Amino acid sequence: MRQRIITGLLLIGIGGLVIWQGGWILQIWLGIVSVMIAHEVSNMLTTAGHPIYRPILYLASILSVASTSFFPEIWTQSYMHIMAIIVVGLCILELYLRRIVLLKSPVLATLRMAALLTFTVPYIALVRDHTDQGILFMALCVIPIWVTDIAALYGGKAIGKTPLSSISPKKTVEGTLIGILSALIFMLATAQWLGLPLLPYLGLAILVSTGSQLGDLHESAIKRFCSVKDSGNALPGHGGFYDRADSTLYVFPCFFIIWQLGLL
């Protein structure tokens, strides 16, 4: 537990600093995180007997993040958002079907994981550096994710009785609902404090909370497919980078698209 707390505090400190600075510092950090996720996914699949083309995955991880700085205009195009929605939507469909697909073929596994990283991680940089209130919006994504994670964990332990999915037997329906409710309470208080329009931001709280839990559940499905407990061991007490970042992957694309549509 002590190791987990120390690692958690270090991650919060580093994450807070890079979010505050934004720009190239954030992009370097996101590049590192994305490559580490790619590395962990490659290791998991290789261990499960399904090797993947690592260099392609690493290259996609780096270039997609870098493109938000060198070619930001392409990320405002509707076709990029459509691709992001398709990628995230297919992952959610896998959860509904309770079946992870396209991971047994090296080519298809490489393409699908490259697509997942390409159309999710860069949106973190887009929300921070290419919206009119980047730091505030980052906080309104990240903090509800934390609130949801903590509330769902301890709420589920306290009163959870109904299993949410066979993919992750420890998760419960009660814990999931407590997580969403906690995110709503946080966003209600924040909106009142900052004078934000209530309805759009309460909707945002539901989106962020639900999206974060779906991202976490999908990573659990991949780990279950590979028969591993954690994605890696780079973060003592927390597992791997994918274990920490999974909750963010679906949230930021959805947030940026909603912002660009003028709904916030």
Side-chain angles (χ1 to χ4, degrees):
M1 179 59 73
R2 181 182 177 185
Q3 198 173 47
R4 180 179 177 86
I5 292 172
I6 292 172
T7 303
L9 290 175
L10 284 173
L11 288 174
I12 290 172
I14 295 171
L17 177 62
V18 297
I19 288 172
W20 181 262
Q21 292 294 324
W24 65 269
I25 293 178
L26 175 61
Q27 288 169 11
I28 289 174
W29 174 247
L30 290 176
I32 292 170
V33 170
S34 191
V35 168
M36 288 302 300
I37 293 174
H39 179 68
E40 291 168 357
V41 168
S42 299
N43 285 344
M44 286 192 292
L45 289 172
T46 300
T47 300
H50 306 296
I52 198 169
Y53 296 114
R54 293 173 185 261
I56 295 176
L57 203 54
Y58 296 157
L59 191 61
S61 302
I62 295 170
L63 292 181
S64 60
V65 173
S67 69
T68 64
S69 178
F70 294 106
F71 309 105
E73 64 279 356
I74 69 171
W75 290 97
T76 64
Q77 303 301 311
S78 58
Y79 64 83
M80 296 296 282
H81 301 331
I82 291 171
M83 286 299 298
I85 291 169
I86 290 172
V87 168
V88 172
L90 288 175
C91 291
I92 294 173
L93 179 62
E94 286 182 318
L95 292 177
Y96 176 75
L97 297 175
R98 299 182 184 180
R99 181 185 177 192
I100 299 294
V101 300
L102 305 182
L103 286 182
K104 293 184 178 181
S105 162
V107 173
L108 295 178
T110 302
L111 289 175
R112 70 156 294 170
M113 294 312 302
L116 177 63
L117 293 173
T118 297
F119 291 102
T120 55
V121 177
Y123 278 95
I124 301 174
L126 293 170
V127 170
R128 170 59 183 88
D129 294 331
H130 297 280
T131 60
D132 54 352
Q133 300 183 72
I135 293 178
L136 173 62
F137 288 159
M138 289 294 291
L140 293 181
C141 286
V142 173
I143 297 176
I145 289 174
W146 290 344
V147 169
T148 295
D149 189 40
I150 294 169
L153 174 63
Y154 289 102
K157 284 184 177 180
I159 63 170
K161 294 182 179 179
T162 310
L164 177 65
S165 171
S166 59
I167 293 171
S168 186
K170 291 184 179 180
K171 289 182 173 60
T172 64
V173 172
E174 293 84 356
T176 298
L177 295 176
I178 290 171
I180 295 172
L181 179 61
S182 299
L184 279 168
I185 293 171
F186 165 80
M187 195 65 79
L188 175 62
T190 303
Q192 295 281 10
W193 178 40
L194 298 177
L196 301 172
L198 202 56
L199 192 58
Y201 282 90
L202 289 180
L204 176 64
I206 296 173
L207 176 69
V208 169
S209 183
T210 303
S212 69
Q213 295 188 77
L214 287 172
D216 181 62
L217 194 60
H218 190 264
E219 195 230 1
S220 295
I222 292 177
K223 290 191 293 186
R224 192 177 183 87
F225 175 86
C226 297
S227 300
V228 298
K229 182 179 182 293
D230 295 318
S231 66
N233 56 11
L235 303 173
H238 289 262
F241 278 84
Y242 195 10
D243 291 315
R244 291 300 86 205
D246 56 1
S247 298
T248 67
L249 295 183
Y250 300 172
V251 169
F252 284 92
C254 295
F255 182 96
F256 188 78
I257 293 169
I258 288 172
W259 174 81
Q260 197 167 38
L261 290 173
L263 300 178
L264 291 175

